[in-house]
Structures are given as structure tokens and as C-alpha cells.
Amino acid sequence: MTEFPPLRPIEGGADPSSGRFDAALLDRLDGRVVGRRRELEVVVASLAGSRHLLLEGPPGTGKSTLLRAVADEAGLGFEFSEGNAELTPARLIGTFDPARVLDEGYAPEVFLDGPLARALQAGSLLYIEEINRLPEETLNVLITVMSEGELHVSRLGMIPASPGFRLVAAMNPHDTVGTARISSAVYDRCVRVAVGYQDADTEAQIVTREAAAVASDLEQLIAAERELLDGAVAVVRATRNHPELRSGSSVRGSIDLLIVAGELAKLRGRPITSADITLDATLSALSGRIRLVEGAGRSAEELLEELWATHLAHLSPEDREIASGDSDDGHEGDAPKRPAPEGAAAKA
């Protein structure tokens, strides 16, 4: 069998020594990743020890945001691949350019590097999202690289892992559609970091920051209507442990709820806390993000309307007037019932 020499690392690749895994790095990360100090410490410590990582948690908990911030602040290269059934070994590793092979043969110069080959040669982080969606043969390639620290490619040779290379994988353990069980061989070669949902105050900080990044005036609206922010976060958090839901919404639902509410308020020329605005924003932002249990007796919209009535409906200007005792006929505590908001489900 023909022996091929190891391929040299890419010149100008990331210098792993430039990444200082110290307290100063953590302090910088605190300003970019909200409420994840403990997870950041474990991730930084693992990378400092040249360990591979498995970030495990539901969607929307900031796994990729956390890792991108670490790579950026530590000066490490970053390769991203989305895990799915289409990520074959050839797409992950790379392949020869067929047209150039006809003219030049199987030379290293005609090999088109995939994300794994690039990360190995540059000493970068390779981030695989949803690793439990990968085909088995692709997963076996990653297991071999983690074990041996090198990759053997037919007709190309061996690609050794440059210093700094680490595999970081992420997965949602609660999603069973289109996923496969991760073997113990992967867990045995990785440091596992559980990334769960944050507390309500931290989620409120994330929502405020992300919404303000879309529209600066929305930050002022949120500051003036703190109850709206808290209510939006409460609705989303309530979807995660509701007995009629198989899965709830991530913090992205709260962000979209407030952004849509802010834009609806402009279009309709009404306060952002108006009942029709908060209800329509709730339904549009969350109805596609929740999954009902099998055999649920009502629709997602009906369930969300109930949560809206609990956490957001009382913020409408009409209800606030009723609560303060001010009504058109001047009788305290005997104000007319607030009319049903636009888009609400009809009541019997």
C-alpha cells in the first residue's frame, strides 16, 4: 500500500498559544454571555486542557453563542457544521475536485478541504451542531479523530491535528424526531456540559438586549413597561412545564413576542400593551415553537390564549382603568367588561 506523508498545518492558521484561558478571558466573556459564568468556567477549563466538549441542552439556551464568544475572545479559529443526515463523511472531511483530478491527478492541491480538514490543519475549534442527527458513518469519523488525533484520507494521506484542535458538539436531548442515540464512545471522549434554561431575571436581560439590537426605541418601550417584559418572559417559561405541551419555547419566543408587539403598536397606532397587540404577538411568536402532547384536547392557539390571559391580558389600558376605578360612567368598581381583543378565539 502506498504511504502518503502527513499534510503540514495550514500556514497562518490560528496560534493556540494566543488563547489565554485565564480569569481575564472569563471577565471579557461575562460581558458577552449573560448568566453563564459557571458554564463558561467549565468550557474554558476543558479547552485549556485540550479536551473535546459536548454541550447538551434544549434549543435557545445559547450553546453556539457561548462557544463563538469563547473562540473569539481566546483568538481561536472556528469551523461550524450543522448536524443532519446530509452531512456525509465526504462533506465533513472534504473531497477531490473531479475536474482537476482529470488533469492533475490525486494531488493535495486539488483536494477541497471540508470543515474537519480545515479545523485539523489550522488548530481550530470544530463545532458540530445537533451531533445526534449525524449518520453513523460520519459519527465514526469523528470518534476516530478524537481518539487518534489524526485523520487518514484515501489518496491524500494523513492529516494530523494541529495544536489547538478540539471538537465541540451540541445536542438537544429532548428532541427525538430525526435523531439517533449517541453511543457511549462519544461520551467517553468528551467532557459533557449541561446547558439548561436560565432564571427569569437573566432571560429578561437577554430579551431586553436582543430586542434593543433590532430596534432602539423598543428598549425604551420595554423600560417604560417592565410588566410587559416580565409577562412575556412568564408566558414563555410557562410553556416549558405545561402538562399539555411536549416541548415549550426558548427565550427566542420572548424576544420575537416583544419585537412583533412593538411593530404592531406602531402600525395600529395604539399602546404596546393593548390587548389585541399582546395577544396577536403571543400567538404569532409562540404558536410555531410549542409542541402539544399527543391527544391534546385543544389547539396551540387556545392554549396560548389561556397563558396570555394569565400573564399579559391585565396590562391592557382598559384593564388598568378598571383596576384604578376609573370608568366612563363614574362608578368605581362597576366599569364595563373589556371587549374581546382582535384575533381572540370566540368564546361560547
Side-chain angles (χ1 to χ4, degrees):
M1 184 176 69
T2 304
E3 292 292 335
F4 295 92
L7 300 185
R8 294 182 178 181
I10 295 175
E11 294 183 5
D15 178 9
S17 64
S18 65
R20 296 187 58 189
F21 299 105
D22 54 15
L25 171 62
L26 287 168
D27 290 339
R28 295 196 303 274
L29 290 169
D30 270 341
R32 297 182 57 172
V33 184
V34 179
R36 290 293 185 198
R37 179 74 184 201
R38 173 180 169 275
E39 290 87 349
L40 284 169
E41 289 175 348
V42 175
V43 167
V44 169
S46 301
L47 294 177
S50 299
R51 301 298 91 192
H52 303 295
L53 277 166
L54 177 62
L55 305 180
E56 193 168 326
T61 48
K63 298 183 291 293
S64 59
T65 299
L66 183 153
L67 186 64
R68 286 180 185 275
V70 171
D72 185 36
E73 292 293 344
L76 301 173
F78 188 89
E79 293 286 343
F80 172 83
S81 287
E82 183 178 350
N84 54 54
E86 304 301 318
L87 188 60
T88 61
R91 291 185 176 182
L92 181 66
I93 298 169
T95 185
F96 286 95
D97 184 336
R100 294 185 61 187
V101 166
L102 293 175
D103 295 331
E104 305 173 45
Y106 288 99
E109 294 77 17
V110 302
F111 188 77
L112 305 175
D113 291 334
L116 176 57
R118 290 194 298 268
L120 284 168
Q121 295 177 80
S124 302
L125 301 183
L126 173 63
Y127 180 61
I128 305 289
E129 193 169 58
E130 303 295 347
I131 190 174
N132 51 337
R133 295 183 181 275
L134 292 182
E136 184 177 358
E137 59 269 23
T138 306
L139 201 57
N140 289 336
V141 170
L142 293 174
I143 291 173
T144 300
V145 170
M146 286 190 286
S147 299
E148 306 299 330
E150 59 189 35
L151 175 67
H152 292 266
V153 183
S154 177
R155 295 191 178 92
L156 180 68
M158 182 186 74
I159 304 177
S162 299
F165 169 78
R166 287 94 160 172
L167 170 68
V168 183
M171 61 179 284
N172 171 17
H174 307 295
D175 191 359
T176 58
V177 179
T179 64
R181 183 180 177 182
I182 293 297
S183 69
S184 58
V186 175
Y187 283 109
D188 190 50
R189 290 163 174 78
C190 293
V191 172
R192 176 181 174 273
V193 181
V195 183
Y197 288 116
Q198 293 141 310
D199 59 41
D201 288 340
T202 302
E203 288 198 12
Q205 294 179 46
I206 295 171
V207 172
T208 302
R209 185 175 68 176
E210 295 299 319
V214 174
S216 58
D217 58 335
L218 193 56
E219 184 176 15
Q220 299 173 354
L221 281 172
I222 293 173
E225 296 288 353
R226 174 67 198 213
E227 287 183 284
L228 174 63
L229 171 63
D230 292 340
V233 171
V235 168
V236 167
R237 292 177 67 84
T239 65
R240 298 173 192 161
N241 54 15
H242 196 284
E244 296 179 62
L245 291 178
R246 179 163 55 87
S247 62
S249 171
S250 72
V251 69
R252 296 189 186 105
S254 306
I255 296 168
D256 284 1
L257 194 162
L258 288 177
I259 290 174
V260 172
E263 295 303 321
L264 282 174
K266 295 177 187 176
L267 290 172
R268 295 177 181 175
R270 304 185 59 190
I272 193 173
T273 54
S274 297
D276 60 305
I277 289 175
T278 56
L279 176 59
D280 287 345
T282 299
L283 296 178
S284 60
L286 303 182
S287 59
R289 286 185 162 98
I290 62 176
R291 296 291 179 268
L292 295 166
V293 297
E294 197 169 328
R298 53 179 170 167
S299 66
E301 287 78 9
E302 289 172 327
L303 186 147
L304 287 171
E305 187 178 338
E306 179 184 89
L307 295 178
W308 165 83
T310 301
H311 299 287
L312 288 170
H314 68 281
L315 300 179
S316 67
E318 296 91 345
D319 276 355
R320 286 178 173 176
E321 287 178 7
I322 294 172
S324 65
D326 296 330
S327 60
D328 293 338
D329 58 10
H331 296 289
E332 289 191 16
D334 192 27
K337 184 178 179 181
R338 172 176 51 83
E342 297 175 19
K347 300 294 184 181

